Amino acid sequence: VQLQASGGGLVQAGGSLRLSCAASGRTFSSYFMGWFRQAPGKQREFVAVIGWSSGNTYYADSVKGRFTISRDKAKNTVYLQMNSLKPEDTAVYYCAAGPSFSRTPTRYDYWGQGTQVTVSS
């Protein structure tokens, strides 16, 4: 199983980025796809999760209303649209796949390599 995250970069505060996570190697129909982030010196934290089949979503309070998670079944890809970015959103962003709808990183079985998002003030 492989998860390939991409789309990170440097953006000014108030700007937007769209992250992509391309999944391969298995069927994800029963899985949940999550985005997490980790800033320097901090623990990895939950950002958003989507049910691959249901499309149900859940967000961390810190990103609710600014970020949108979605998936394209035909492309086996999950997206994280990030709008109104703030300097505190700066982190390495990881996509992950797991069998349950969870905010806990340890509940996820597969992880992408991470993509850096830097928001300048």
Side-chain angles (χ1 to χ4, degrees):
V1 174
Q2 281 194 323
L3 299 178
Q4 183 73 32
S6 61
L10 173 64
V11 64
Q12 287 189 330
S16 298
L17 282 174
R18 189 177 79 157
L19 305 184
S20 299
C21 177
S24 62
R26 64 156 292 148
T27 300
F28 288 92
S29 59
S30 63
Y31 267 58
F32 297 84
M33 306 298 292
W35 284 99
F36 291 79
R37 65 187 182 186
Q38 189 166 18
K42 295 188 176 182
Q43 289 189 332
R44 191 166 297 189
E45 67 170 353
F46 168 79
V47 175
V49 61
I50 186 168
W52 188 262
S53 291
S54 67
N56 292 335
T57 59
Y58 184 74
Y59 297 91
D61 288 344
S62 58
V63 306
K64 202 173 295 183
R66 300 189 297 122
F67 291 12
T68 302
I69 188 171
S70 62
R71 86 278 191 242
D72 185 328
K73 291 183 177 181
K75 295 183 178 179
N76 244 21
T77 300
V78 176
Y79 302 100
L80 186 68
Q81 178 65 46
M82 306 186 294
N83 298 329
S84 302
L85 282 161
K86 304 175 182 180
E88 51 264 43
D89 294 318
T90 295
V92 177
Y93 283 71
Y94 299 89
C95 60
S100 60
F101 199 81
S102 176
R103 302 165 55 102
T104 306
T106 55
R107 297 289 182 91
Y108 289 78
D109 299 327
Y110 306 106
W111 289 85
Q113 84 286 4
T115 184
Q116 176 71 46
V117 172
T118 303
V119 184
S120 62
S121 57

